[in-house]
Amino acid sequence: MSGYNFAYLDESTKRMIRRAILKAVAIPGHQVPFGSREMPLPYGWGTGGIQVTAAVLGPADVLKVIDQGSDDTTNAVSIRAFFRRTAGVATTESTEAATIIQTRHRIPERPLREDQILVYQVPIPEPLGRLEPRIAETRRMHAMADYGLMHVKLYEDIARHGHIATSYSYPVMVNSRYLMSPSPIPAFDNPKMDQMPALQLFGAGREKRIYAVPPYTSVKSLDFDDHPFRPIRAPHACELCGSRDTYLDEVLTDDVGGRIFVCSDTDFCSERQAVKEAAE
Amino acid sequence: MNERSSKTPHPIPPPQAGEGGAHLPPPLLAGEGRGGGLAAQTPLLTARDLTLRFGRIAALDSVDIDIHPGEVVAIVGESGSGKTTLLRVLSGLMRPDAGEVSYLGQDVLGMTEAARRRLMRTEWGFVHQNPRDGLRMAVSAGGNIGERLMATGARHYGNIRDQAAHWLTRVEIDPTRMDEVPAKFSGGMQQRLQIARTLVTLPKLVFMDEPTGGLDVSVQARLLDLIRALVADLGLAVLIVTHDIAAARLLAHRMLVMRHGVVVESGLTDRVLDDPQHPYTQLLVSSVLA
């Protein structure tokens, strides 16, 4: 597209973001401030993720964008189209074929590889924000690794509900040092972050923060010895592909209480359906 | 010498003092009166020559203080005399213009913030005048007590709850109310909860800033009784700031009287209150009702 630099952002902005990313990779889980730019879409729609993607995207990359696991929702379609037009890169819906995957609120079911980068869109990067409203104080708590407060939150969950009721944005410890918000992915996806071969980058546009989990880094979900972390999923099989070990969305089908459960990862689901059909 | 202070020469260390405390725990003899044994321990906290000015006002004017293990020291004086400032400087919350504070040989003012915070959540405790400053009002009573345990690495929910129930009982709060938020508690209960939350890690030294302020008289009496029993049982060293002479008489072994940032008189509580030397102390003592 003429009139725009490759991947929309100008080169000096990309360099600034890459510097933030390098620092974030060097200190796994630590939030690095960056000069977030105005993007041609509203805050909360993935401005952080888009800037990170633009900074790491090369002409040979193949981009996949998912929104809640789905390749065909508005956000995913728009962001894919955005980079197709401003960078001319190839896009795909296949997790296997992609080299960069920008995601909102899910990690693909198919295990990622070393040559892939997973870019998360992050609305609220500060895991302690709900508990301690003063930013200066939360930064001090990170600096001192003073994370007792996060366990107080989990304690309260158990005291009130009998179990840890946090089902998304479940806090994790990265590399046994920094407390990190995994962005609002379901707790079900948390174990996939641990020792993942792919590089994981997190961009928060409105909050102007970038953080990262380098490949093969330990990511542990917080828990208690007698209330261990457990990933939660709906106890059903996918209506379309029959999977019993993927994360499911509940879909209402009519106005008389009809509902089905289907895989949230559309690519994974359609692949399984294709395999099933081929077998029949 | 009055009747009570004539009892003090018994060489009984305070931790063994009677349960529930119908009597005052025998005060530790301060300074030169110390013999051998427990009483000869080196001070927990020592401060020398603390000076701090707020503009033209001297909040602290070369203040010296020693606090020994198991000893309750009261700082009394009128509003604006520098009591709370002294407490904040001693606990490292505020830096003085000059002087030094050392805790068991460590330089409190020179230590890193990480080290100071570690002290604050393990060996020290701070009880605020307003329980809202010391409690998390949106977190249940159990969570409030558990916070210090979790901050120091406790990761077993059942154990944390057992400890919380134990401490609620100790501060005379019904353990069945463990899952209620402090906002539902009365002022006296909130203050007791704050004390439980502070003592759960068995600190060696507790700073208390007007712990009975804002409570009605009967609740104050009960709280003082509770603090006295806990202090005797646990062998805590306490530095308590108060303008309530009666509370100081009940709790403290030793007392410092402050005025305009200067310690005008110090000594054993009974000596200071029964035989005040400085005109200001005489005024303070004579203005206590009843």
Side-chain angles (χ1 to χ4, degrees), chain A residues 51-72:
Chain A
Q51 289 179 76
V52 171
T53 301
V56 297
L57 197 66
D61 273 314
V62 181
L63 180 69
K64 171 184 163 84
V65 183
I66 51 174
D67 175 359
Q68 300 275 16
S70 166
D71 287 285
D72 47 17

Side-chain angles (χ1 to χ4, degrees), chain A residues 189-197 200 216-220:
Chain A
D189 281 345
N190 272 18
K192 294 179 190 155
M193 305 179 85
D194 186 34
Q195 303 295 339
M196 184 192 276
Q200 303 174 71
Y216 303 108
T217 302
S218 123
V219 178
K220 294 274 174 280

Side-chain angles (χ1 to χ4, degrees), chain A residues 125-188:
Chain A
E126 180 51 69
L128 297 162
R130 284 267 171 91
L131 305 160
E132 173 54 69
R134 292 166 295 178
I135 301 269
E137 182 61 21
T138 58
R139 292 187 71 79
R140 206 169 289 135
M141 290 160 86
H142 282 295
M144 312 283 163
D146 193 352
Y147 293 138
L149 194 53
M150 200 72 237
H151 268 92
V152 173
K153 158 84 170 59
L154 299 183
Y155 170 97
E156 291 288 291
D157 256 14
I158 305 175
R160 276 181 204 164
H161 307 288
H163 59 95
I164 299 177
T166 307
S167 55
Y168 67 97
S169 203
Y170 192 109
V172 292
M173 281 299 282
V174 178
N175 205 19
S176 312
R177 173 60 183 85
Y178 279 98
L179 181 71
M180 187 185 92
S181 162
S183 85
I185 60 171
F188 177 83

Side-chain angles (χ1 to χ4, degrees), chain A residues 87-135:
Chain A
V89 293
T91 57
T92 179
E93 296 195 355
S94 154
T95 305
E96 165 103 77
T99 56
I100 296 176
I101 302 170
Q102 180 173 333
T103 173
R104 172 174 175 269
H105 306 186
R106 269 317 303 279
I107 297 176
E109 303 286 357
R110 171 190 282 278
L112 299 181
R113 303 182 310 264
E114 282 179 11
D115 62 339
Q116 293 177 312
I117 299 177
L118 186 58
V119 178
Y120 297 75
Q121 301 171 196
V122 182
I124 301 166
E126 180 51 69
L128 297 162
R130 284 267 171 91
L131 305 160
E132 173 54 69
R134 292 166 295 178
I135 301 269

Side-chain angles (χ1 to χ4, degrees), chain A residues 131-132 137 140-141 144-149 151-152 154-156 158-160 223-227, chain B residues 113-114 117 121 136 138-140 142-143 147 150-151 154-161 178-179 181:
Chain A
L131 305 160
E132 173 54 69
E137 182 61 21
R140 206 169 289 135
M141 290 160 86
M144 312 283 163
D146 193 352
Y147 293 138
L149 194 53
H151 268 92
V152 173
L154 299 183
Y155 170 97
E156 291 288 291
I158 305 175
R160 276 181 204 164
D223 60 2
F224 286 100
D225 297 345
D226 48 347
H227 283 267
Chain B
E113 197 187 344
R117 284 170 84 108
R121 61 176 189 244
R136 293 194 186 276
V139 168
S140 70
E147 181 174 349
M150 291 183 255
R155 290 293 178 264
H156 192 284
Y157 177 79
N159 294 353
I160 293 167
R161 258 183 108 70
M178 177 147 67
D179 294 332
V181 292

Side-chain angles (χ1 to χ4, degrees), chain B residues 24-103:
Chain B
L24 279 174
L28 272 181
L29 293 179
E32 66 284 353
R34 282 167 189 283
L38 193 73
Q41 285 176 346
T42 49
L44 269 182
L45 191 78
T46 316
R48 288 287 168 267
D49 220 10
L50 293 177
T51 301
L52 177 62
R53 304 187 68 87
F54 297 128
R56 293 180 54 198
I57 303 158
L60 298 175
D61 193 352
S62 45
V63 173
D64 293 349
I65 190 171
D66 285 328
I67 301 164
H68 292 83
E71 182 184 45
V72 180
V73 179
I75 305 172
V76 299
E78 62 194 3
S79 299
S81 59
K83 306 182 301 262
T84 301
T85 306
L86 177 58
L87 199 66
R88 290 178 62 82
V89 167
L90 290 176
S91 58
L93 292 174
M94 207 184 253
R95 290 195 72 83
D97 296 335
E100 52 190 55
V101 181
S102 92
Y103 172 76

